[in-house]
Amino acid sequence: MTKEDLKIIFFGTPDFAVESLSRLVDGGYNVAAVVTMPDKPAGRGRQLQQSDVKRYAVEHGLPVLQPVSLKDEAFIEALHSFGAQLFIVIAFRMLPEAVWQMPPLGTFNLHASLLPRYRGAAPINWAVMNGDTETGVTTFFLKHEIDTGDVIQQRSCPIGRNDNVEAVHDRLMVMGADMVLETVDAIIAGTVKPIPQEQVLTSGQQPTPAPKIFKDTCRIDWSRPAEDLYNHIRGLSPYPAAWTTLTDDMGNETSLKVYATGEPEPFTSTDKPAPGSLLADRKTLRVACADGWLQILSLQQSGKKRMDTDAFLRGYVLSDTARCH
């Protein structure tokens, strides 16, 4: 079998998936159809917005399926009609068994972690938030339990001390696309030897979760150590962004998204400020954590644009008793 003979159906939604889809198309692989999320209303006008994958597919003349339910009989019949031998899933919904068992060569997923570490919806965020120095990408064959299938290939990637989730995302996106093509080629050549995830774990290791990020997950708890919050903030930057509430001495509150901070700084006196206390001048703003200060470098006040902290301080007068919480 050649790559031109192998019919592929590609499942994906965001830009992370587009990189792999474009590499398949540019490489001459036979992408028979694309499955992506239905268009959703977004923005102030609530106009319908296409997914990144759909925009790419339409621009390149690929058939697009957008089922509301992945168990819909008409959708299942449409999938059958393409006669695809392989399904590829990247950053999509959980597939029902009737779908992922359909192609004779199987269904594989590209996941942005070194499985079985960070199984779940937000593997890149949690790796950075937890202060990891390494992550990676994995291709694996789907089975019933999410992110538990046998590993086909893995490749590691360092996480730099100053990396935010966007920087790691972009590196893994390119690395993952390379590995998707390598995985397809190995399937065509018949050289794939999947390994159960349990065999990937070293002694004493356990699978780790990467659950979906919610608004409460993003809130900054200033009673935590400064190092933890440094990682928490960069692991959510620029999206969905860590946030805190700034309160002045009159009780007025404003919400701040925090995108970047300086390195944790130890307290310089024997006095230990209460968590959330502020140390500010005309250009800098530091917030007290459990064991030190974090200097906020980039933020966004509710209803405003993202800006550097010195620009924020030029337009917002901090009272002596203002604090974050």
Side-chain angles (χ1 to χ4, degrees):
M1 181 183 294
T2 67
K3 64 183 181 182
E4 292 82 9
D5 297 324
L6 176 65
K7 286 187 177 181
I8 297 168
I9 294 183
F10 185 94
F11 296 71
T13 298
D15 60 342
F16 189 88
V18 173
E19 181 73 17
S20 293
L21 176 58
S22 66
R23 294 281 294 280
L24 288 165
V25 171
D26 293 345
Y29 294 83
N30 187 357
V31 180
V34 166
V35 183
T36 192
M37 294 286 285
D39 298 351
K40 290 186 175 182
R44 293 183 178 179
R46 306 302 290 168
Q47 295 182 340
L48 289 178
Q49 300 292 318
Q50 299 177 348
S51 72
D52 294 321
V53 163
K54 180 180 179 179
R55 283 195 291 271
Y56 178 89
V58 170
E59 289 172 1
H60 291 80
L62 300 174
V64 177
L65 303 177
Q66 295 179 275
V68 174
S69 170
L70 296 174
K71 296 181 179 180
D72 182 78
E73 290 185 6
F75 168 64
I76 300 294
E77 291 176 5
L79 286 180
H80 273 296
S81 71
F82 287 102
Q85 300 103 319
L86 178 69
F87 291 173
I88 300 174
V89 183
I90 304 175
F92 194 62
R93 297 147 63 187
M94 185 175 179
L95 300 184
E97 190 169 346
V99 173
W100 59 260
Q101 282 196 340
M102 186 184 301
L105 294 179
T107 299
F108 80 81
N109 177 264
L110 171 69
H111 189 74
S113 79
L114 297 173
L115 288 172
R117 288 187 60 76
Y118 297 115
R119 292 172 174 168
I124 310 176
N125 296 94
W126 284 106
V128 181
M129 289 164 68
N130 288 338
D132 289 5
T133 58
E134 181 185 59
T135 186
V137 286
T138 303
T139 52
F140 67 97
F141 284 117
L142 263 63
K143 66 178 187 181
H144 189 265
E145 297 81 7
I146 190 167
D147 294 339
T148 61
D150 294 350
V151 170
I152 305 170
Q153 287 186 285
Q154 285 190 326
R155 188 166 300 153
S156 63
C157 171
I159 301 176
R161 174 66 180 169
N162 298 317
D163 283 341
N164 64 10
V165 72
E166 182 177 48
V168 180
H169 168 282
D170 291 352
R171 286 202 295 273
L172 294 182
M173 181 173 66
V174 175
M175 180 182 290
D178 290 339
M179 202 163 66
V180 164
L181 267 61
E182 293 171 8
T183 299
V184 174
D185 289 344
I187 290 172
I188 292 172
T191 58
V192 170
K193 296 180 180 180
I195 302 172
Q197 289 191 27
E198 292 72 20
Q199 295 183 18
V200 177
L201 292 169
T202 58
S203 179
Q205 281 188 325
Q206 294 293 327
T208 52
K212 186 176 179 180
I213 303 289
F214 294 97
K215 184 176 180 180
D216 284 348
T217 315
C218 301
R219 183 160 195 164
I220 302 170
D221 178 0
W222 296 105
S223 68
R224 294 173 61 192
E227 177 69 17
D228 289 355
L229 294 182
Y230 174 79
N231 295 327
H232 178 85
I233 290 165
R234 66 192 181 98
L236 294 167
S237 178
Y239 183 83
W243 64 277
T244 188
T245 300
L246 177 64
T247 305
D248 64 19
D249 55 356
M250 300 296 292
N252 299 313
E253 295 185 347
T254 186
S255 179
L256 299 178
K257 289 183 177 180
V258 181
Y259 294 100
T261 71
E263 288 278 350
E265 305 171 30
F267 295 132
T268 56
S269 68
T270 55
D271 294 332
K272 186 177 180 181
S277 299
L278 304 182
L279 182 64
D281 56 30
R282 293 182 182 178
K283 293 186 176 181
T284 63
L285 174 62
R286 289 173 171 81
V287 186
C289 309
D291 58 356
W293 300 100
L294 275 183
Q295 180 181 343
I296 298 178
L297 302 178
S298 177
L299 52 76
Q300 182 177 0
Q301 185 181 359
S302 180
K304 307 286 186 178
K305 294 182 179 180
R306 177 177 174 175
M307 63 186 73
D308 292 338
T309 301
D310 61 344
F312 167 74
L313 292 172
R314 286 197 296 270
Y316 189 96
V317 179
L318 288 171
S319 63
D320 292 339
T321 59
R323 63 184 300 272
C324 287
H325 61 90

mmCIF file of all heavy atoms in Angstrom, residues 156-204:
data_model
loop_
_atom_site.group_PDB
_atom_site.id
_atom_site.type_symbol
_atom_site.label_atom_id
_atom_site.label_comp_id
_atom_site.label_asym_id
_atom_site.label_seq_id
_atom_site.Cartn_x
_atom_site.Cartn_y
_atom_site.Cartn_z
ATOM 1 N N SER A 156 10.177 13.408 23.288
ATOM 2 C CA SER A 156 10.179 14.368 24.394
ATOM 3 C C SER A 156 10.589 15.758 23.924
ATOM 4 O O SER A 156 11.211 15.926 22.872
ATOM 5 C CB SER A 156 11.103 13.902 25.512
ATOM 6 O OG SER A 156 12.434 13.829 25.046
ATOM 7 N N CYS A 157 10.230 16.751 24.752
ATOM 8 C CA CYS A 157 10.498 18.156 24.452
ATOM 9 C C CYS A 157 10.760 18.875 25.770
ATOM 10 O O CYS A 157 10.000 18.704 26.732
ATOM 11 C CB CYS A 157 9.289 18.762 23.744
ATOM 12 S SG CYS A 157 9.333 20.551 23.510
ATOM 13 N N PRO A 158 11.830 19.677 25.864
ATOM 14 C CA PRO A 158 12.089 20.405 27.118
ATOM 15 C C PRO A 158 11.094 21.538 27.325
ATOM 16 O O PRO A 158 10.574 22.115 26.366
ATOM 17 C CB PRO A 158 13.505 20.936 26.921
ATOM 18 C CG PRO A 158 13.676 21.064 25.442
ATOM 19 C CD PRO A 158 12.881 19.931 24.848
ATOM 20 N N ILE A 159 10.839 21.856 28.578
ATOM 21 C CA ILE A 159 10.071 23.046 28.948
ATOM 22 C C ILE A 159 11.037 24.006 29.610
ATOM 23 O O ILE A 159 11.604 23.705 30.669
ATOM 24 C CB ILE A 159 8.928 22.709 29.922
ATOM 25 C CG1 ILE A 159 7.965 21.700 29.302
ATOM 26 C CG2 ILE A 159 8.177 23.987 30.321
ATOM 27 C CD1 ILE A 159 6.860 21.242 30.242
ATOM 28 N N GLY A 160 11.260 25.159 28.990
ATOM 29 C CA GLY A 160 12.197 26.136 29.524
ATOM 30 C C GLY A 160 11.647 26.840 30.749
ATOM 31 O O GLY A 160 10.429 26.910 30.964
ATOM 32 N N ARG A 161 12.543 27.363 31.547
ATOM 33 C CA ARG A 161 12.164 28.035 32.788
ATOM 34 C C ARG A 161 11.200 29.195 32.547
ATOM 35 O O ARG A 161 10.316 29.449 33.373
ATOM 36 C CB ARG A 161 13.438 28.555 33.482
ATOM 37 C CG ARG A 161 13.219 29.416 34.717
ATOM 38 C CD ARG A 161 12.610 28.642 35.840
ATOM 39 N NE ARG A 161 12.408 29.479 37.017
ATOM 40 C CZ ARG A 161 11.697 29.121 38.080
ATOM 41 N NH1 ARG A 161 11.109 27.946 38.113
ATOM 42 N NH2 ARG A 161 11.573 29.941 39.108
ATOM 43 N N ASN A 162 11.354 29.884 31.423
ATOM 44 C CA ASN A 162 10.519 31.048 31.133
ATOM 45 C C ASN A 162 9.420 30.756 30.114
ATOM 46 O O ASN A 162 8.710 31.680 29.694
ATOM 47 C CB ASN A 162 11.382 32.206 30.634
ATOM 48 C CG ASN A 162 12.389 32.664 31.666
ATOM 49 O OD1 ASN A 162 12.068 32.784 32.843
ATOM 50 N ND2 ASN A 162 13.621 32.900 31.230
ATOM 51 N N ASP A 163 9.277 29.507 29.704
ATOM 52 C CA ASP A 163 8.243 29.172 28.725
ATOM 53 C C ASP A 163 6.854 29.332 29.324
ATOM 54 O O ASP A 163 6.612 28.932 30.469
ATOM 55 C CB ASP A 163 8.394 27.716 28.263
ATOM 56 C CG ASP A 163 9.517 27.522 27.265
ATOM 57 O OD1 ASP A 163 9.947 28.518 26.657
ATOM 58 O OD2 ASP A 163 9.962 26.366 27.093
ATOM 59 N N ASN A 164 5.945 29.898 28.533
ATOM 60 C CA ASN A 164 4.539 29.824 28.909
ATOM 61 C C ASN A 164 3.875 28.735 28.074
ATOM 62 O O ASN A 164 4.524 28.095 27.230
ATOM 63 C CB ASN A 164 3.838 31.175 28.757
ATOM 64 C CG ASN A 164 3.784 31.662 27.317
ATOM 65 O OD1 ASN A 164 4.094 30.939 26.376
ATOM 66 N ND2 ASN A 164 3.389 32.911 27.136
ATOM 67 N N VAL A 165 2.584 28.509 28.296
ATOM 68 C CA VAL A 165 1.936 27.390 27.633
ATOM 69 C C VAL A 165 1.894 27.585 26.117
ATOM 70 O O VAL A 165 1.943 26.619 25.359
ATOM 71 C CB VAL A 165 0.524 27.160 28.216
ATOM 72 C CG1 VAL A 165 -0.446 28.239 27.789
ATOM 73 C CG2 VAL A 165 0.002 25.788 27.846
ATOM 74 N N GLU A 166 1.839 28.832 25.653
ATOM 75 C CA GLU A 166 1.814 29.088 24.215
ATOM 76 C C GLU A 166 3.101 28.625 23.546
ATOM 77 O O GLU A 166 3.069 27.993 22.482
ATOM 78 C CB GLU A 166 1.606 30.577 23.953
ATOM 79 C CG GLU A 166 1.521 30.936 22.482
ATOM 80 C CD GLU A 166 1.252 32.413 22.274
ATOM 81 O OE1 GLU A 166 1.940 33.246 22.902
ATOM 82 O OE2 GLU A 166 0.356 32.738 21.478
ATOM 83 N N ALA A 167 4.246 28.908 24.173
ATOM 84 C CA ALA A 167 5.533 28.505 23.595
ATOM 85 C C ALA A 167 5.648 26.987 23.507
ATOM 86 O O ALA A 167 6.106 26.433 22.499
ATOM 87 C CB ALA A 167 6.676 29.076 24.432
ATOM 88 N N VAL A 168 5.224 26.297 24.561
ATOM 89 C CA VAL A 168 5.295 24.831 24.562
ATOM 90 C C VAL A 168 4.300 24.259 23.554
ATOM 91 O O VAL A 168 4.617 23.317 22.808
ATOM 92 C CB VAL A 168 5.027 24.287 25.978
ATOM 93 C CG1 VAL A 168 5.112 22.761 25.984
ATOM 94 C CG2 VAL A 168 6.016 24.872 26.980
ATOM 95 N N HIS A 169 3.107 24.807 23.499
ATOM 96 C CA HIS A 169 2.092 24.392 22.534
ATOM 97 C C HIS A 169 2.630 24.443 21.112
ATOM 98 O O HIS A 169 2.486 23.488 20.337
ATOM 99 C CB HIS A 169 0.870 25.310 22.666
ATOM 100 C CG HIS A 169 -0.149 25.214 21.563
ATOM 101 N ND1 HIS A 169 0.020 25.808 20.332
ATOM 102 C CD2 HIS A 169 -1.348 24.588 21.509
ATOM 103 C CE1 HIS A 169 -1.024 25.565 19.572
ATOM 104 N NE2 HIS A 169 -1.873 24.830 20.260
ATOM 105 N N ASP A 170 3.281 25.546 20.757
ATOM 106 C CA ASP A 170 3.753 25.717 19.383
ATOM 107 C C ASP A 170 4.856 24.716 19.036
ATOM 108 O O ASP A 170 4.908 24.198 17.913
ATOM 109 C CB ASP A 170 4.238 27.144 19.160
ATOM 110 C CG ASP A 170 3.093 28.148 19.176
ATOM 111 O OD1 ASP A 170 1.919 27.728 19.210
ATOM 112 O OD2 ASP A 170 3.362 29.371 19.183
ATOM 113 N N ARG A 171 5.740 24.429 19.998
ATOM 114 C CA ARG A 171 6.785 23.437 19.735
ATOM 115 C C ARG A 171 6.189 22.040 19.574
ATOM 116 O O ARG A 171 6.584 21.282 18.676
ATOM 117 C CB ARG A 171 7.821 23.449 20.853
ATOM 118 C CG ARG A 171 8.752 24.647 20.828
ATOM 119 C CD ARG A 171 10.040 24.373 21.567
ATOM 120 N NE ARG A 171 9.834 24.169 22.990
ATOM 121 C CZ ARG A 171 9.796 25.144 23.905
ATOM 122 N NH1 ARG A 171 9.943 26.400 23.519
ATOM 123 N NH2 ARG A 171 9.619 24.863 25.175
ATOM 124 N N LEU A 172 5.260 21.697 20.455
ATOM 125 C CA LEU A 172 4.646 20.370 20.386
ATOM 126 C C LEU A 172 3.797 20.214 19.128
ATOM 127 O O LEU A 172 3.698 19.118 18.571
ATOM 128 C CB LEU A 172 3.793 20.118 21.618
ATOM 129 C CG LEU A 172 4.539 20.014 22.950
ATOM 130 C CD1 LEU A 172 3.553 19.719 24.078
ATOM 131 C CD2 LEU A 172 5.630 18.951 22.918
ATOM 132 N N MET A 173 3.189 21.287 18.671
ATOM 133 C CA MET A 173 2.378 21.247 17.459
ATOM 134 C C MET A 173 3.217 20.818 16.257
ATOM 135 O O MET A 173 2.801 19.960 15.463
ATOM 136 C CB MET A 173 1.750 22.621 17.219
ATOM 137 C CG MET A 173 0.869 22.712 16.001
ATOM 138 S SD MET A 173 0.015 24.329 15.931
ATOM 139 C CE MET A 173 1.426 25.435 15.680
ATOM 140 N N VAL A 174 4.404 21.396 16.114
ATOM 141 C CA VAL A 174 5.294 21.060 15.006
ATOM 142 C C VAL A 174 5.882 19.668 15.196
ATOM 143 O O VAL A 174 5.916 18.852 14.266
ATOM 144 C CB VAL A 174 6.411 22.117 14.874
ATOM 145 C CG1 VAL A 174 7.415 21.712 13.812
ATOM 146 C CG2 VAL A 174 5.812 23.481 14.546
ATOM 147 N N MET A 175 6.342 19.369 16.407
ATOM 148 C CA MET A 175 6.894 18.053 16.700
ATOM 149 C C MET A 175 5.845 16.958 16.481
ATOM 150 O O MET A 175 6.122 15.878 15.937
ATOM 151 C CB MET A 175 7.404 18.016 18.142
ATOM 152 C CG MET A 175 7.999 16.695 18.556
ATOM 153 S SD MET A 175 8.517 16.712 20.299
ATOM 154 C CE MET A 175 9.926 17.831 20.197
ATOM 155 N N GLY A 176 4.616 17.253 16.914
ATOM 156 C CA GLY A 176 3.547 16.280 16.753
ATOM 157 C C GLY A 176 3.215 16.007 15.301
ATOM 158 O O GLY A 176 2.940 14.868 14.919
ATOM 159 N N ALA A 177 3.242 17.048 14.465
ATOM 160 C CA ALA A 177 2.965 16.852 13.039
ATOM 161 C C ALA A 177 4.015 15.952 12.401
ATOM 162 O O ALA A 177 3.691 15.096 11.571
ATOM 163 C CB ALA A 177 2.912 18.208 12.331
ATOM 164 N N ASP A 178 5.270 16.146 12.782
ATOM 165 C CA ASP A 178 6.327 15.253 12.289
ATOM 166 C C ASP A 178 6.004 13.802 12.639
ATOM 167 O O ASP A 178 6.139 12.898 11.812
ATOM 168 C CB ASP A 178 7.680 15.624 12.906
ATOM 169 C CG ASP A 178 8.232 16.938 12.392
ATOM 170 O OD1 ASP A 178 7.805 17.377 11.304
ATOM 171 O OD2 ASP A 178 9.087 17.530 13.072
ATOM 172 N N MET A 179 5.572 13.600 13.883
ATOM 173 C CA MET A 179 5.343 12.243 14.350
ATOM 174 C C MET A 179 4.088 11.623 13.754
ATOM 175 O O MET A 179 4.006 10.403 13.564
ATOM 176 C CB MET A 179 5.286 12.207 15.881
ATOM 177 C CG MET A 179 5.594 10.828 16.440
ATOM 178 S SD MET A 179 6.014 10.872 18.187
ATOM 179 C CE MET A 179 4.469 11.393 18.878
ATOM 180 N N VAL A 180 3.080 12.437 13.440
ATOM 181 C CA VAL A 180 1.891 11.923 12.765
ATOM 182 C C VAL A 180 2.268 11.313 11.422
ATOM 183 O O VAL A 180 1.837 10.199 11.080
ATOM 184 C CB VAL A 180 0.838 13.044 12.588
ATOM 185 C CG1 VAL A 180 -0.226 12.644 11.570
ATOM 186 C CG2 VAL A 180 0.174 13.368 13.917
ATOM 187 N N LEU A 181 3.097 12.026 10.652
ATOM 188 C CA LEU A 181 3.519 11.487 9.358
ATOM 189 C C LEU A 181 4.356 10.219 9.538
ATOM 190 O O LEU A 181 4.195 9.242 8.791
ATOM 191 C CB LEU A 181 4.304 12.544 8.573
ATOM 192 C CG LEU A 181 3.479 13.403 7.610
ATOM 193 C CD1 LEU A 181 2.407 14.192 8.357
ATOM 194 C CD2 LEU A 181 4.365 14.351 6.814
ATOM 195 N N GLU A 182 5.239 10.224 10.531
ATOM 196 C CA GLU A 182 6.049 9.028 10.786
ATOM 197 C C GLU A 182 5.176 7.851 11.181
ATOM 198 O O GLU A 182 5.425 6.704 10.777
ATOM 199 C CB GLU A 182 7.061 9.320 11.889
ATOM 200 C CG GLU A 182 8.137 10.326 11.493
ATOM 201 C CD GLU A 182 8.986 10.749 12.681
ATOM 202 O OE1 GLU A 182 8.841 10.143 13.772
ATOM 203 O OE2 GLU A 182 9.782 11.695 12.520
ATOM 204 N N THR A 183 4.129 8.120 11.965
ATOM 205 C CA THR A 183 3.223 7.053 12.388
ATOM 206 C C THR A 183 2.447 6.494 11.206
ATOM 207 O O THR A 183 2.301 5.269 11.068
ATOM 208 C CB THR A 183 2.259 7.581 13.470
ATOM 209 O OG1 THR A 183 3.016 8.011 14.608
ATOM 210 C CG2 THR A 183 1.276 6.499 13.904
ATOM 211 N N VAL A 184 1.942 7.362 10.344
ATOM 212 C CA VAL A 184 1.227 6.899 9.154
ATOM 213 C C VAL A 184 2.149 6.059 8.273
ATOM 214 O O VAL A 184 1.768 4.983 7.781
ATOM 215 C CB VAL A 184 0.654 8.082 8.356
ATOM 216 C CG1 VAL A 184 0.032 7.589 7.042
ATOM 217 C CG2 VAL A 184 -0.401 8.820 9.173
ATOM 218 N N ASP A 185 3.374 6.515 8.075
ATOM 219 C CA ASP A 185 4.325 5.757 7.257
ATOM 220 C C ASP A 185 4.602 4.386 7.858
ATOM 221 O O ASP A 185 4.723 3.382 7.127
ATOM 222 C CB ASP A 185 5.639 6.538 7.118
ATOM 223 C CG ASP A 185 5.503 7.769 6.241
ATOM 224 O OD1 ASP A 185 4.509 7.865 5.495
ATOM 225 O OD2 ASP A 185 6.384 8.652 6.311
ATOM 226 N N ALA A 186 4.714 4.323 9.176
ATOM 227 C CA ALA A 186 4.968 3.036 9.837
ATOM 228 C C ALA A 186 3.760 2.107 9.697
ATOM 229 O O ALA A 186 3.921 0.885 9.528
ATOM 230 C CB ALA A 186 5.299 3.268 11.305
ATOM 231 N N ILE A 187 2.568 2.664 9.761
ATOM 232 C CA ILE A 187 1.364 1.842 9.574
ATOM 233 C C ILE A 187 1.312 1.299 8.153
ATOM 234 O O ILE A 187 1.000 0.124 7.917
ATOM 235 C CB ILE A 187 0.102 2.664 9.909
ATOM 236 C CG1 ILE A 187 0.034 2.924 11.426
ATOM 237 C CG2 ILE A 187 -1.159 1.950 9.431
ATOM 238 C CD1 ILE A 187 -1.061 3.895 11.837
ATOM 239 N N ILE A 188 1.639 2.154 7.178
ATOM 240 C CA ILE A 188 1.681 1.704 5.779
ATOM 241 C C ILE A 188 2.706 0.599 5.594
ATOM 242 O O ILE A 188 2.464 -0.413 4.911
ATOM 243 C CB ILE A 188 1.986 2.891 4.848
ATOM 244 C CG1 ILE A 188 0.818 3.888 4.836
ATOM 245 C CG2 ILE A 188 2.280 2.404 3.427
ATOM 246 C CD1 ILE A 188 1.107 5.179 4.097
ATOM 247 N N ALA A 189 3.870 0.754 6.237
ATOM 248 C CA ALA A 189 4.949 -0.227 6.084
ATOM 249 C C ALA A 189 4.713 -1.491 6.917
ATOM 250 O O ALA A 189 5.422 -2.491 6.738
ATOM 251 C CB ALA A 189 6.280 0.412 6.477
ATOM 252 N N GLY A 190 3.751 -1.430 7.825
ATOM 253 C CA GLY A 190 3.479 -2.588 8.670
ATOM 254 C C GLY A 190 4.507 -2.815 9.753
ATOM 255 O O GLY A 190 4.681 -3.945 10.226
ATOM 256 N N THR A 191 5.199 -1.762 10.158
ATOM 257 C CA THR A 191 6.267 -1.908 11.153
ATOM 258 C C THR A 191 5.867 -1.443 12.552
ATOM 259 O O THR A 191 6.707 -1.409 13.456
ATOM 260 C CB THR A 191 7.510 -1.111 10.702
ATOM 261 O OG1 THR A 191 7.148 0.274 10.535
ATOM 262 C CG2 THR A 191 8.051 -1.640 9.385
ATOM 263 N N VAL A 192 4.607 -1.081 12.739
ATOM 264 C CA VAL A 192 4.151 -0.581 14.042
ATOM 265 C C VAL A 192 4.107 -1.717 15.059
ATOM 266 O O VAL A 192 3.574 -2.799 14.784
ATOM 267 C CB VAL A 192 2.763 0.074 13.915
ATOM 268 C CG1 VAL A 192 2.174 0.363 15.290
ATOM 269 C CG2 VAL A 192 2.858 1.346 13.109
ATOM 270 N N LYS A 193 4.679 -1.459 16.235
ATOM 271 C CA LYS A 193 4.642 -2.421 17.340
ATOM 272 C C LYS A 193 4.176 -1.686 18.604
ATOM 273 O O LYS A 193 4.992 -1.223 19.406
ATOM 274 C CB LYS A 193 6.017 -3.048 17.553
ATOM 275 C CG LYS A 193 6.500 -3.886 16.363
ATOM 276 C CD LYS A 193 7.875 -4.493 16.625
ATOM 277 C CE LYS A 193 8.328 -5.325 15.435
ATOM 278 N NZ LYS A 193 9.677 -5.926 15.649
ATOM 279 N N PRO A 194 2.873 -1.559 18.769
ATOM 280 C CA PRO A 194 2.345 -0.790 19.896
ATOM 281 C C PRO A 194 2.759 -1.377 21.252
ATOM 282 O O PRO A 194 2.902 -2.597 21.394
ATOM 283 C CB PRO A 194 0.824 -0.868 19.704
ATOM 284 C CG PRO A 194 0.636 -1.259 18.270
ATOM 285 C CD PRO A 194 1.805 -2.108 17.922
ATOM 286 N N ILE A 195 2.940 -0.481 22.221
ATOM 287 C CA ILE A 195 3.364 -0.874 23.562
ATOM 288 C C ILE A 195 2.291 -0.442 24.561
ATOM 289 O O ILE A 195 1.895 0.728 24.579
ATOM 290 C CB ILE A 195 4.699 -0.194 23.930
ATOM 291 C CG1 ILE A 195 5.789 -0.546 22.915
ATOM 292 C CG2 ILE A 195 5.139 -0.578 25.340
ATOM 293 C CD1 ILE A 195 7.064 0.249 23.107
ATOM 294 N N PRO A 196 1.818 -1.341 25.420
ATOM 295 C CA PRO A 196 0.859 -0.936 26.455
ATOM 296 C C PRO A 196 1.451 0.165 27.331
ATOM 297 O O PRO A 196 2.643 0.148 27.645
ATOM 298 C CB PRO A 196 0.627 -2.224 27.252
ATOM 299 C CG PRO A 196 0.960 -3.324 26.295
ATOM 300 C CD PRO A 196 2.073 -2.791 25.439
ATOM 301 N N GLN A 197 0.630 1.113 27.715
ATOM 302 C CA GLN A 197 1.135 2.250 28.492
ATOM 303 C C GLN A 197 1.756 1.828 29.820
ATOM 304 O O GLN A 197 2.670 2.496 30.321
ATOM 305 C CB GLN A 197 0.020 3.269 28.725
ATOM 306 C CG GLN A 197 -0.380 4.025 27.475
ATOM 307 C CD GLN A 197 -1.281 5.214 27.763
ATOM 308 O OE1 GLN A 197 -1.241 5.803 28.843
ATOM 309 N NE2 GLN A 197 -2.095 5.574 26.783
ATOM 310 N N GLU A 198 1.290 0.748 30.392
ATOM 311 C CA GLU A 198 1.853 0.290 31.652
ATOM 312 C C GLU A 198 3.339 -0.016 31.523
ATOM 313 O O GLU A 198 4.103 0.102 32.483
ATOM 314 C CB GLU A 198 1.109 -0.953 32.147
ATOM 315 C CG GLU A 198 -0.330 -0.700 32.585
ATOM 316 C CD GLU A 198 -1.261 -0.412 31.400
ATOM 317 O OE1 GLU A 198 -0.910 -0.768 30.262
ATOM 318 O OE2 GLU A 198 -2.331 0.190 31.642
ATOM 319 N N GLN A 199 3.759 -0.426 30.321
ATOM 320 C CA GLN A 199 5.171 -0.746 30.105
ATOM 321 C C GLN A 199 6.030 0.504 29.931
ATOM 322 O O GLN A 199 7.259 0.424 30.014
ATOM 323 C CB GLN A 199 5.318 -1.659 28.887
ATOM 324 C CG GLN A 199 4.692 -3.027 29.057
ATOM 325 C CD GLN A 199 4.923 -3.929 27.865
ATOM 326 O OE1 GLN A 199 5.806 -3.694 27.034
ATOM 327 N NE2 GLN A 199 4.106 -4.976 27.742
ATOM 328 N N VAL A 200 5.389 1.641 29.690
ATOM 329 C CA VAL A 200 6.127 2.896 29.531
ATOM 330 C C VAL A 200 6.515 3.465 30.895
ATOM 331 O O VAL A 200 7.527 4.152 31.040
ATOM 332 C CB VAL A 200 5.279 3.928 28.745
ATOM 333 C CG1 VAL A 200 6.008 5.262 28.634
ATOM 334 C CG2 VAL A 200 4.942 3.380 27.355
ATOM 335 N N LEU A 201 5.717 3.180 31.914
ATOM 336 C CA LEU A 201 5.986 3.691 33.252
ATOM 337 C C LEU A 201 7.254 3.078 33.829
ATOM 338 O O LEU A 201 7.492 1.879 33.699
ATOM 339 C CB LEU A 201 4.809 3.367 34.191
ATOM 340 C CG LEU A 201 3.489 4.080 33.923
ATOM 341 C CD1 LEU A 201 2.391 3.451 34.756
ATOM 342 C CD2 LEU A 201 3.606 5.560 34.238
ATOM 343 N N THR A 202 8.065 3.918 34.444
ATOM 344 C CA THR A 202 9.211 3.404 35.174
ATOM 345 C C THR A 202 8.782 3.063 36.596
ATOM 346 O O THR A 202 7.677 3.384 37.025
ATOM 347 C CB THR A 202 10.356 4.439 35.214
ATOM 348 O OG1 THR A 202 9.877 5.650 35.817
ATOM 349 C CG2 THR A 202 10.843 4.755 33.803
ATOM 350 N N SER A 203 9.631 2.413 37.323
ATOM 351 C CA SER A 203 9.293 1.929 38.659
ATOM 352 C C SER A 203 8.795 3.066 39.554
ATOM 353 O O SER A 203 9.434 4.108 39.674
ATOM 354 C CB SER A 203 10.518 1.274 39.302
ATOM 355 O OG SER A 203 10.223 0.831 40.602
ATOM 356 N N GLY A 204 7.645 2.863 40.153
ATOM 357 C CA GLY A 204 7.095 3.848 41.082
ATOM 358 C C GLY A 204 6.255 4.921 40.445
ATOM 359 O O GLY A 204 5.585 5.682 41.149
#
